[in-house]
Amino acid sequence: MGGFFDIPSDLQASWWGLIGLHLQEALIPVLFGLLIALPLAQLGARFRWLYPPMLGVTTVLYALPSLAFIVLLINWTGLSTTTVEIPLTIYSLVVLIPAIVDGVRSVPEETHAAATAMGFGPFRRYLQVELPIAVPAIFAGLRVATVSSISLVSVGALIGNEGGLGNLLSDALHYHRPILSWNSVITTAVLAILIDGLLVLLRRLLTPWAVR
Amino acid sequence: MCSGQENGGPLIFCVLEGLCTALILIDAVTKRYPDGTTAVDRLTLEIPDGSITVLVGPSGCGKTTTLRMINRMIDPTEGRITLDGADIREQPVNALRRSMGYVIQHAGLFPHRTIAENIATVPRLLGWDRRQARARALELMDRVGLDKALAKRYPYQLSGGQQQRVGVARALAADPPVMLMDEPFSAVDPIVRKGLQEELIRIQEELGKTIVFVTHDIDEAIKIGDMVAVLREGGKLAQYAPPAELLSSPADGFVEDFLGLDRGIRRLSFFTAAGLELNTVPMIAVDSTAEQMAARTIPQTPYLLVTDTEGRPLGWAVAKERIAGSDALIAFGHSFTAGRDSLRAALDSAVLSPTGWAVAVDENGRAVGVAAQEAIAAAIRTAHLEQSAGSDAIPGASDNPDDAAVDA
């Protein structure tokens, strides 16, 4: 007992189980963030006046301390993973919306004009021309959002057993086992680097057309 | 109004007596922006069927605005545009656009699609199946002079000139009756541009589309246009005429300025050198004897054209010196092809050579005769007289001041 991989039984999970829980709590918010950001960014790109206030709101929400956010949410969603995932979803918007808007705006004017002139309606043009061309920019945003989400999940440990690998930090204090905090920090960092690498690989597969 | 038939060839269909069916009719069209600027001002143009109409003018003359009103990317403030007699607002906007090919500066290719997919864009929008659209794309690559091996490449892997060819192929893909071209060749280097212009003229001879072509380059307009509309700042029409008429009789000082100082010389492009009398005497093969050389020396010139044993020109020699044994040659500059090239090519050949004589060759590059500047000047005068006798489009051609410049 007391080794690097010996997880205290109060966490009711193995090391691998904690990794699974951590990834689930980190990645689902990014996915939901992307689903919310896509239509919002399209509005921001089309109606230029809407974009600055949209950015302002997401920035203010990002400035809310995560702990305060979570404590507020306990009233509605209780001590659950949802309580951790909602703030993370909202935080991801501050990165994803500008990434998509910049990506869509980076479509060359002549490509945009050519698409219009060939008879693409606005919706088809967005899906088939603007969005695919924005993929590299969107992935740049996704990488930042994902890595920051992976590191933020640990805050969930403060409301009980909802912090994934972050729970090891509170247990390290509780059981006087500093090795557990090493485990938490190192595993989280390795996880972030691996997921980031996967995203880079995925982007390469999706954009064989990009200049290298 | 049916101006331009004399020079445009059989390009304008006239179905009703005395009436041209312009495929596209721009009828008193004005485009005014909310800030008060007028981009196009009561423009009326008949764009004839099956020919290239060029809109040319300085920046801010409304030429691109006019082009974009034809496919409704911009809506006119006043006036209307008809296509085959029907107002363009009558059909759904995307259907209208799919019936008009569009080529743009920098090509505007889709970077995320392969060359074949780019070309197949409009056929796919029209619902063709994938295989049919791909076959069509490959066929068009061939037509615009692209290697089919490029089909699976992405646009970033192609040169500017190749991208522009893809742009033309993409516009032709669904075989639209109308092609709109917005400065399509202005972003490529001059040599590539010349190739693309010639390719366009060749493709047009095969396909006979109704092409509206926007450029700021008057040389390009004159080279490719069957009709040229010169626009001035504020979107007003300055002149609408075939290129030869534009050069011979510019409507006003603005058009004259825009055409530049050498319009007399450029107009010679429209005169064939076929009637030019060639002198076949002062030409010798490189292995000729002194007697042969002496026999071919003529009083009009101290020079002899030396050719290789196949008859291809090598250069000029001073007759006396060559007979005395000298091998020295004077460059002949470039030759012109007899029967095919214009008087402009012949004149340029003559003024380029220090001897003042032009060298005419046949299709195989063999010298068929030489012509002095004086002979070319005479041919130009004759051509002017024939023009003014055979056409009312060029009044006063015989007293054209450019004749004097050519004589000198």
Side-chain angles (χ1 to χ4, degrees):
Chain A
M1 280 304 279
F4 191 80
F5 292 106
D6 292 326
I7 309 299
S9 61
D10 69 312
L11 297 185
Q12 297 172 342
S14 66
W15 184 66
W16 288 107
L18 284 179
I19 289 176
L21 189 67
H22 196 99
L23 279 183
Q24 181 199 324
E25 284 186 79
L27 298 186
I28 286 176
V30 178
L31 193 68
F32 274 100
L34 187 63
L35 289 178
I36 296 167
L38 279 173
L40 285 179
Q42 164 66 345
L43 289 175
R46 284 214 52 199
F47 307 103
R48 286 178 172 264
W49 57 269
L50 197 60
Y51 184 49
M54 195 187 281
L55 264 189
V57 170
T58 56
T59 308
V60 166
L61 287 173
Y62 190 70
L64 289 177
S66 51
L67 189 55
F69 214 147
I70 287 171
V71 170
L72 275 175
L73 282 171
I74 289 174
N75 287 323
W76 291 279
T77 50
L79 298 175
S80 64
T81 50
T82 316
T83 307
V84 181
E85 284 166 1
I86 289 173
L88 294 185
T89 303
I90 287 165
Y91 291 159
S92 74
L93 296 180
V94 81
V95 182
L96 291 175
I97 290 177
I100 301 169
V101 170
D102 289 347
V104 167
R105 283 185 184 166
S106 75
V107 174
E109 143 66 25
E110 64 269 13
T111 303
H112 197 271
T116 308
M118 280 188 291
F120 281 84
F123 186 65
R124 197 198 286 258
R125 189 181 61 210
Y126 184 64
L127 284 186
Q128 295 186 5
V129 179
E130 295 171 14
L131 217 46
I133 294 175
V135 161
I138 294 173
F139 265 76
L142 268 182
R143 288 173 61 188
V144 177
T146 306
V147 168
S148 88
S149 189
I150 288 174
S151 82
L152 277 170
V153 163
S154 303
V155 178
L158 294 168
I159 61 160
N161 203 358
E162 309 299 346
L165 292 161
N167 295 337
L168 291 174
L169 290 172
S170 48
D171 273 19
L173 285 173
H174 202 241
Y175 296 113
H176 303 290
R177 283 179 57 195
I179 190 89
L180 290 180
S181 44
W182 283 109
N183 185 331
S184 172
V185 169
I186 292 169
T187 311
T188 309
V190 170
L191 215 51
I193 291 167
L194 284 179
I195 297 292
D196 190 50
L198 277 179
L199 284 174
V200 171
L201 205 66
L202 187 61
R203 195 215 58 209
R204 290 223 174 138
L205 287 175
L206 284 175
T207 59
W209 49 269
V211 188
R212 292 199 221 291
Chain B
M1 214 187 97
C2 278
S3 62
Q5 280 160 302
E6 299 86 1
N7 300 289
L11 295 168
I12 303 170
F13 296 142
C14 291
V15 277
L16 300 171
E17 304 154 27
L19 266 180
C20 270
T21 54
L23 188 79
I24 301 168
L25 175 62
I26 297 172
D27 188 7
V29 163
T30 294
K31 178 63 191 181
R32 223 175 284 114
Y33 285 103
D35 66 0
T37 52
T38 303
V40 177
D41 192 6
R42 277 162 303 165
L43 179 68
T44 296
L45 274 185
E46 286 176 355
I47 293 169
D49 199 348
S51 64
I52 302 181
T53 300
V54 181
L55 308 180
V56 65
S59 49
C61 72
K63 51 195 192 295
T64 293
T65 306
T66 304
L67 192 78
R68 290 187 168 199
M69 286 194 287
I70 297 173
N71 72 352
R72 294 185 55 194
M73 287 171 79
I74 297 174
D75 282 321
T77 317
E78 286 160 29
R80 62 172 209 152
I81 298 173
T82 61
L83 175 65
D84 273 334
D87 195 308
I88 57 169
R89 283 169 298 195
E90 278 169 19
Q91 60 169 317
V93 64
N94 285 332
L96 176 83
R97 288 174 182 165
R98 288 169 199 171
S99 74
M100 296 179 171
Y102 190 77
V103 191
I104 197 172
Q105 193 176 359
H106 300 295
L109 301 182
F110 300 138
H112 60 300
R113 293 188 173 180
T114 63
I115 301 312
E117 286 166 352
N118 262 284
I119 297 172
T121 302
V122 179
R124 293 286 291 153
L125 285 174
L126 291 171
W128 297 24
D129 70 51
R130 204 175 285 273
R131 190 180 308 172
Q132 207 183 357
R134 190 181 158 76
R136 174 70 177 154
L138 292 176
E139 180 194 326
L140 278 163
M141 288 183 75
D142 206 34
R143 188 178 284 285
V144 300
L146 282 169
D147 186 348
K148 283 178 187 164
L150 298 174
K152 286 186 175 158
R153 299 271 180 88
Y154 287 99
Y156 83 93
Q157 295 167 305
L158 269 59
S159 71
Q162 286 173 321
Q163 290 192 19
Q164 210 49 262
R165 282 172 198 266
V166 177
V168 173
R170 185 174 65 173
L172 286 168
D175 203 19
V178 176
M179 295 266 282
L180 306 177
M181 308 183 83
D182 190 359
E183 307 215 16
F185 307 146
S186 52
V188 292
D189 68 67
I191 293 170
V192 175
R193 186 183 314 144
K194 187 164 177 277
L196 288 167
Q197 290 166 344
E198 279 156 13
E199 199 83 358
L200 177 69
I201 292 168
R202 185 185 62 72
I203 292 171
Q204 173 64 358
E205 277 169 10
E206 291 167 16
L207 300 180
K209 301 284 180 193
T210 299
I211 298 178
V212 188
F213 190 108
V214 162
T215 181
H216 60 262
D217 176 357
I218 185 69
D219 286 318
E220 185 169 64
I222 285 168
K223 181 170 179 182
I224 67 164
D226 295 307
M227 288 293 283
V228 177
V230 184
L231 302 174
R232 69 172 94 236
E233 287 94 340
K236 288 193 175 71
L237 183 64
Q239 189 169 8
Y240 187 37
E245 186 185 325
L246 207 63
L247 289 168
S248 66
S249 351
D252 57 20
F254 169 78
V255 180
E256 207 172 332
D257 266 3
F258 196 67
L259 288 165
L261 277 178
D262 55 350
R263 64 187 167 90
I265 302 291
R266 278 188 291 178
R267 193 178 164 218
L268 297 180
S269 304
F270 296 93
F271 295 152
T272 167
L276 180 62
E277 214 172 302
L278 298 175
N279 193 331
T280 54
V281 182
M283 295 161 56
I284 52 156
V286 70
D287 53 1
S288 302
T289 62
E291 289 77 42
Q292 286 170 320
M293 289 190 253
R296 287 198 162 265
T297 307
I298 55 172
Q300 294 96 311
T301 177
Y303 302 104
L304 284 169
L305 181 73
V306 182
T307 67
D308 65 13
T309 49
E310 306 273 309
R312 280 183 284 267
L314 297 172
W316 292 94
V318 179
K320 275 181 201 155
E321 291 173 9
R322 191 162 183 94
I323 292 169
S326 162
D327 278 341
L329 287 178
I330 303 165
F332 67 93
H334 67 77
S335 53
F336 70 97
T337 308
R340 194 187 67 191
D341 279 340
S342 67
L343 279 177
R344 186 177 177 178
L347 179 67
D348 197 64
S349 170
V351 294
L352 190 61
S353 169
T355 64
W357 286 67
V359 176
V361 296
D362 63 15
E363 300 285 344
N364 299 318
R366 293 193 185 86
V368 293
V370 292
Q373 285 173 3
E374 292 75 14
I376 296 169
I380 292 168
R381 272 192 297 273
T382 309
H384 273 301
L385 285 172
E386 279 170 3
Q387 279 276 328
S388 56
S391 157
D392 55 349
I394 308 166
S398 56
D399 54 31
N400 192 322
D402 294 321
D403 280 352
V406 170
D407 280 335

